């Protein structure tokens, strides 16, 4: 695997859409959408992102197609398991979990396009998904810039755009798959433990930090910091830990990012505050902190600081 393939810019498109929607005042629906598709993803044993690791050990396309079939079945089961959990704490459970199901189905075919060797089609598909998702979130209700209550959103718009995203990915994926002859296998389930850890580590830690008593001394006002860190975290993602040679560019990039974030946090640590009533400005130090947390998680899971072996 070469350095070019280790980073897929399209991985950042969906988190970027969530960040933009949060910045534009649809913070509540953006987080509920994120929570729904992450909950479905985890309840389905992270089989959608886990396909990337499964495909790496499957040179025959019939086994790749078999893993896709297993992942699709897992999404249905995971959605059923996620529904009561989401309903216990969030509004519109059925429609939002349906959004989560459709976005995870889109992700399955996004990974399949890469397995077919067509990264440009995968990037196009994910770009369409991000644009549709942003559109659905913006149409879903009023922003906190307006006089309306941003918590009162209409989930039908994200549902429609999620459905369109899944259909586009399905159409592109099927157009390049040739003859369908899947060989069902459990490779994607064998990759589930690591995939679950990779999927949950940064979001779980970021949300936990946002909910701590210490943070509530200076409350986070939006979820934009969470999504900002998610962009960096997803860009660093690989199915396996990088080799020492592959990790060196990542280590340098993370070091630069952390240095910039620490310099950015310094004025706030010294007492800089923005006027009340400007949530996005007040959340800047938290966004910098989220980037630091994302960098730490990415380094822990994907990097390597071992010395280069002589035979490399």
């Amino acid at each position: 695997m070469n350095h070019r393939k280790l980073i897929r810019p399209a991985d950042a498109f969906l988190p970027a859409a969530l960040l933009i929607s949060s910045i534009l005042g649809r913070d509540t629906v953006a987080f509920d959408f994120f929570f729904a598709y992450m909950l479905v993803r985890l309840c389905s044993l992270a089989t959608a992102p886990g396909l990337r690791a499964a495909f790496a050990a499957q040179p025959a396309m019939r086994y790749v197609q078999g893993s896709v079939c297993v992942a699709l079945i897992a999404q249905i089961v995971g959605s059923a398991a996620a529904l009561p959990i989401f309903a216990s704490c969030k509004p519109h459970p059925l429609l939002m979990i349906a959004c989560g199901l459709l976005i995870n189905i889109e992700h399955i075919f996004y990974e399949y396009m890469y397995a077919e060797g067509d990264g440009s089609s995968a990037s196009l598909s994910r770009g369409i998904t991000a644009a549709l998702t942003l559109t659905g979130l913006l149409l879903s209700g009023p922003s906190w810039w307006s006089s309306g209550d941003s918590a009162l959103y209409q989930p039908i718009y994200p549902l429609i755009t999620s459905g369109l995203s899944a259909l586009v990915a399905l159409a592109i994926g099927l157009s390049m798959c040739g003859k369908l002859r899947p060989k069902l296998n459990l490779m994607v389930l064998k990759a589930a433990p690591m995939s679950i850890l990779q999927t949950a580590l940064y979001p779980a830690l970021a949300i936990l930090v946002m909910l701590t008593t210490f943070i509530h001394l200076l409350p986070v006002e939006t979820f934009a910091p969470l999504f900002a860190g998610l962009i960096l975290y997803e860009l660093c993602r690989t199915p396996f830990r990088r080799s020492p040679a592959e990790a060196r560019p990542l280590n340098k990039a993370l070091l630069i990012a952390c240095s910039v974030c620490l310099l950015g946090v310094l004025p706030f640590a010294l007492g800089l505050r923005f006027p009340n009533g400007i949530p996005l400005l007040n959340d800047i130090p938290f966004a910098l902190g989220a980037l630091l947390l994302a960098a730490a998680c990415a380094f822990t899971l994907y990097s390597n600081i071992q010395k280069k072996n002589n035979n490399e």
Side-chain angles (χ1 to χ4, degrees):
M1 187 180 293
N2 59 39
H3 296 297
R4 180 179 60 82
K5 292 182 179 180
L6 287 175
I7 294 181
R8 306 189 310 195
D11 287 349
F13 290 174
L14 188 56
L18 295 175
L19 175 62
I20 294 171
S21 63
S22 181
I23 291 173
L24 295 179
R26 274 66 173 190
D27 192 60
T28 300
V29 64
F31 178 75
D32 286 358
F33 181 89
F34 168 76
F35 182 58
Y37 88 74
M38 287 296 294
L39 189 59
V40 172
R41 181 163 293 186
L42 291 173
C43 288
S44 61
L45 302 180
T47 46
L51 283 171
R52 190 174 177 185
F55 291 163
Q58 295 176 318
M61 287 307 299
R62 62 181 306 200
Y63 288 97
V64 168
Q65 293 174 358
S67 291
V68 167
C69 292
V70 172
L72 288 171
I73 295 171
Q75 305 315 303
I76 303 298
V77 177
S79 297
L83 182 58
I85 301 174
F86 192 93
S88 66
C89 56
K90 290 290 182 179
H92 315 297
L94 185 59
L95 295 182
M96 294 307 291
I97 289 297
C99 291
L101 169 63
L102 291 167
I103 289 297
N104 278 286
I105 289 175
E106 182 275 341
H107 191 93
I108 288 173
F109 288 99
Y110 168 69
E111 295 289 352
Y112 181 72
M113 292 175 215
Y114 271 107
E116 284 277 3
D118 194 348
S120 59
S121 293
S123 296
L124 174 63
S125 175
R126 181 46 63 93
I128 293 172
T129 295
L132 287 171
T133 297
L134 178 59
T135 301
L137 294 176
L138 293 180
L139 291 174
S140 64
S143 72
W144 44 258
W145 292 106
S146 69
S147 59
D149 184 355
S150 63
L152 302 176
Y153 59 82
Q154 297 294 326
I156 189 64
Y157 295 103
L159 178 61
I160 291 172
T161 55
S162 297
L164 291 174
S165 299
L167 286 174
V168 168
L170 175 64
I172 297 175
L174 291 180
S175 69
M176 63 176 62
C177 70
K179 185 177 181 180
L180 288 174
R181 48 193 186 98
K183 176 72 172 179
L184 293 180
N185 62 87
L186 301 180
M187 183 63 70
V188 70
L189 297 180
K190 293 179 181 178
M194 180 54 69
S195 184
I196 291 172
L197 176 61
Q198 293 174 341
T199 298
L201 182 62
Y202 165 74
L205 290 178
I207 293 173
L208 179 63
V209 169
M210 293 173 72
L211 294 176
T212 59
T213 303
F214 173 76
I215 292 298
H216 279 295
L217 296 176
L218 184 62
V220 182
E221 299 189 51
T222 73
F223 288 102
L226 169 67
F227 301 138
L230 189 65
I231 292 174
L232 175 61
Y233 184 68
E234 289 295 333
L235 282 175
C236 296
R237 185 162 187 159
T238 51
F240 310 106
R241 185 181 296 277
R242 288 167 166 83
S243 70
E246 292 168 339
R248 280 195 291 272
L250 175 66
N251 294 343
K252 292 178 182 178
L254 292 179
L255 181 60
I256 293 172
C258 290
S259 300
V260 172
C261 289
L262 287 173
L263 289 174
V265 166
L266 185 59
F268 296 96
L270 295 176
L272 175 64
R273 297 291 183 270
F274 291 107
N276 292 330
I278 313 179
L280 291 175
L281 293 180
N282 290 329
D283 279 352
I284 288 176
F286 298 108
L288 295 172
L291 289 169
L292 287 170
L293 177 61
C297 292
F299 180 82
T300 301
L301 290 178
Y302 307 122
S303 191
N304 199 320
I305 57 174
Q306 296 177 4
K307 293 182 179 179
K308 184 177 180 181
N309 295 328
N310 293 331
N311 60 354
E312 287 186 352

